Amino acid sequence: MTPATVDSPGRPTLEEVARLAGVSRATVSRVINASPKVSPEVQAVVEAAIAELNYVPNRAARSLVARATMSIALVVPEDAHRFFGDPYFADIVQGISDRLDDSDYVLNLQLTHPSSPSEKTRRYLLGGNVDGALVVSHHSGDHFLASIGQSLPVVFGGRPMGAAGTPGRPTDYYVDVDNRLGAVQGTRHLIASGRRAIGTITGPRDMPAALDREQGWRDALLEAGLSDERVAHGDFTEEGGAAAAEELLDRHRDLDAIFVASDLMASGALGILAGRGRSVPADVAVVGYDNSRYATRGPIQLTTVAQPTRQMGIAMADTLLRLLAGEQPQHVQLLPTELILRDSA
Amino acid sequence: MTPATVDSPGRPTLEEVARLAGVSRATVSRVINASPKVSPEVQAVVEAAIAELNYVPNRAARSLVARATMSIALVVPEDAHRFFGDPYFADIVQGISDRLDDSDYVLNLQLTHPSSPSEKTRRYLLGGNVDGALVVSHHSGDHFLASIGQSLPVVFGGRPMGAAGTPGRPTDYYVDVDNRLGAVQGTRHLIASGRRAIGTITGPRDMPAALDREQGWRDALLEAGLSDERVAHGDFTEEGGAAAAEELLDRHRDLDAIFVASDLMASGALGILAGRGRSVPADVAVVGYDNSRYATRGPIQLTTVAQPTRQMGIAMADTLLRLLAGEQPQHVQLLPTELILRDSA
DNA sequence: CTGAAAGCGCTAACAC
DNA sequence: GTGTTAGCGCTTTCAG
């Protein structure tokens, strides 16, 4: 005795609607799918029957024959805390969600472990549960996700990495910003305002975005003839940012500026700086990255590199939808970054 | 020409596996479903064929015959920012996700508007896309969600409200903590430490948890013969907590303690207190609620009422799974709260 | 223990 | 315009 069958007559089928309306199943199907070749009268009768029975088409059956599920997966290789803790994801999801609201597709969230999606995720993605997938926050260790694009339409948020740090394959689709350039913008600003001992707090080394930002910081420094030795690695969390700031301050007493690869980490760094009595920006200037709400939340308004995160989500969803519609969207879409000047630098 | 059919031989079917293994489709099906009555040899042959073809069963087909989708919906009547901004949700989702990882079910996230789920969500839930639903953060204005339990197995996170503030129906399933009692614990602590002008910052008035916490604060005050006039309403966001704190301080100059209905709001309140030069806990003691990472993030460690949020997620998922398995779980599960003493009170 | 056959609910030619 | 006829890929009696 399952609850579903205890007292319910079961959801009505197309067949029952057909019987009630006195037509064939094919006709009911045509009405449901808004086929043009149905006479108005018949259509009205069928619609009445549908309403009376409160009929809703069975998706499984439809999927089976249509070979489409009308749903797409959002694959997030992060634990729930990092996913929820970073406003970056909130914006991405909001964008995706907004774009999908205008379509017939629904979103399925798949939280999976950072560097080894479970067998379950694999089966889910490959088992025909979804027509396509959106992958955010891709880590390099993940071979399955790196190659998933070959079996399913996939759009990455951020440049995907191939195995062993190789650049993504040219057949991949992704939406990104020019992380290197964004970092260059932020770092140049620090240089222009007279800073000379400029450090950086990076993101995890297995993520392309983190690597690119570090490279941008380095490039800007080198082009100005400055040293790029002041590096500490974070993990895109507030705690990680704080720890990296401690490390940087301990190792480089002369530090007068930090380019931090995310606002969240910058927020952690600001806490450490305050704790050590180093004033911002007088003693140490700080530039963040993301322009998330963490940038404007604390006592010190953060100068930061803005990226159009929500737009990225929209673009990702849009690209996948195009792919599913059989169109040929661009493989790479780079959105612009912009330096937002506030108080910290 | 859809992308899926361009060059792919198509995903292998059970039939192909059967052919390769030299057995019937029924036998392959038995192997897949771990039926006991298959000889070891045959099983090995079939498994080899499955591996060779990289076969993954088609869910739609399976759902069609099994009359089950093996997926459950997580309905969140909040915009993405509140959902992502509050660690409470992260913990709930992590718990749900953890529990579901051990099952065959997958999670489908449905973000919907606070007080009126879209027609799309309605159709999704009722269209047989999921076998059951988990609803978190239920608002009273939402009649559809309030009655959804009648058409689909549903488990609520937090006591659901019926229409117009009536208590949820006895047939509802939900997992909650005793919010009133938790608030009583927190408030009594404030009283015990000598505070007399104790205010509260509440959550939104259309949420049961918020109402219950307010009631607990009031009950504790009244049993001690203290006034319950110092109330300001927040919305479970950091900004809302800050605004409510301003209001409270402006209206009650004698305020010497605040019981805040969430750590996130308490974090906002702490900012205001600091801005006005009121020291915590010397001038104003603060007790939060949730014991989320916001409690220990800032300079002042927050005394707070802890609730086993992740456990709640686990319990929710577990209850729904039981329901789907035809068992008869408890309708109401109340998990314990605990006062965590830190520096703020 | 294994195979044959009959659908699950729907759509899509193909006739009329 | 509308009905008839096949399946989509899988599970499940029912024989053997």
Side-chain angles (χ1 to χ4, degrees), chain B residues 88-89 92 96 134-139 145 154-162 167-169 172-179 207-210 212-213 236 307 309 312-313 315-316 331-335:
Chain B
Y88 168 78
F89 290 115
I92 286 275
I96 292 171
L134 259 16
V135 180
V136 296
S137 185
H138 183 230
H139 295 250
L145 286 182
V154 172
V155 175
F156 290 90
R159 176 167 57 81
M161 258 178 160
R169 31 202 121 219
D172 283 334
Y173 288 88
Y174 68 88
V175 173
D176 205 349
V177 291
D178 189 332
N179 283 291
M207 294 184 66
D212 291 349
R213 290 174 200 175
F236 281 153
Q307 50 182 352
T309 315
M312 291 172 72
M316 286 175 68
H331 279 267
V332 178
Q333 281 174 78
L334 251 28
L335 271 42

Side-chain angles (χ1 to χ4, degrees), chain B residues 142-313:
Chain B
D142 196 331
H143 301 175
F144 166 61
L145 286 182
S147 59
I148 181 72
Q150 298 173 305
S151 340
L152 194 73
V154 172
V155 175
F156 290 90
R159 176 167 57 81
M161 258 178 160
T166 59
R169 31 202 121 219
T171 54
D172 283 334
Y173 288 88
Y174 68 88
V175 173
D176 205 349
V177 291
D178 189 332
N179 283 291
R180 197 198 65 84
L181 188 59
V184 166
Q185 292 173 334
T187 308
R188 276 188 187 151
H189 171 70
L190 254 13
I191 296 170
S193 58
R195 310 291 168 162
R196 287 300 173 263
I198 305 172
T200 188
I201 293 177
T202 75
R205 313 213 75 185
D206 63 349
M207 294 184 66
L211 260 23
D212 291 349
R213 290 174 200 175
E214 180 177 345
Q215 189 60 51
W217 164 81
R218 187 159 275 134
D219 291 350
L221 251 31
L222 297 184
E223 83 184 5
L226 297 173
S227 159
D228 65 348
E229 67 182 344
R230 301 176 184 79
V231 180
H233 301 295
D235 58 359
F236 281 153
T237 68
E238 192 162 19
E239 295 72 22
E246 299 252 32
E247 185 187 333
L248 224 41
L249 289 167
D250 286 344
R251 287 217 315 255
H252 308 281
R253 302 293 309 170
D254 63 345
L255 195 77
D256 63 9
I258 316 178
F259 168 70
V260 190
S262 87
D263 288 347
L264 196 50
M265 293 196 296
S267 171
L270 250 21
I272 296 301
L273 253 10
R276 297 199 175 196
R278 308 287 288 265
S279 103
V280 175
D283 299 334
V284 181
V286 176
V287 170
Y289 202 109
D290 278 346
N291 192 30
S292 72
R293 67 191 164 79
Y294 282 89
T296 53
R297 209 200 36 168
I300 299 175
Q301 303 285 299
L302 203 61
T303 288
T304 188
V305 179
Q307 50 182 352
T309 315
R310 190 167 150 278
Q311 292 301 328
M312 291 172 72

Side-chain angles (χ1 to χ4, degrees), chain A residues 14-159:
Chain A
L14 182 148
E15 163 116 51
E16 299 176 47
V17 174
R19 205 150 42 207
L20 204 172
V23 298
S24 74
R25 296 182 313 177
T27 298
V28 176
S29 181
R30 290 190 184 100
V31 171
I32 292 168
N33 297 292
S35 160
K37 31 194 192 174
V38 177
S39 72
E41 306 85 61
V42 173
Q43 176 168 335
V45 176
V46 173
E47 276 167 354
I50 289 178
E52 178 170 344
L53 261 31
N54 219 300
Y55 169 76
V56 182
N58 177 315
R59 274 252 232 188
R62 186 181 283 197
S63 293
L64 189 56
V65 44
R67 269 96 174 288
T69 62
M70 300 312 283
S71 65
I72 73 181
L74 173 58
V75 182
V76 185
E78 296 291 346
D79 70 67
H81 273 95
R82 201 169 105 53
F83 181 52
F84 283 88
D86 197 330
Y88 168 79
F89 290 115
D91 283 322
I92 287 276
V93 173
Q94 184 77 67
I96 291 171
S97 182
D98 287 351
R99 177 64 186 84
L100 254 30
D101 274 349
D102 300 330
S103 77
D104 287 329
Y105 288 85
V106 295
L107 228 217
N108 289 185
L109 213 213
Q110 292 295 307
L111 277 185
T112 172
H113 286 292
S115 48
S116 66
S118 65
E119 175 60 16
K120 201 170 154 190
T121 298
R122 207 187 83 83
R123 292 177 68 87
Y124 185 76
L125 259 22
L126 263 26
N129 294 284
V130 294
D131 297 337
L134 260 14
V135 179
V136 297
S137 187
H138 183 231
H139 295 249
S140 66
D142 197 331
H143 300 175
F144 166 61
L145 286 181
S147 59
I148 181 70
Q150 298 172 304
S151 343
L152 193 74
V154 172
V155 176
F156 290 89
R159 176 168 58 80

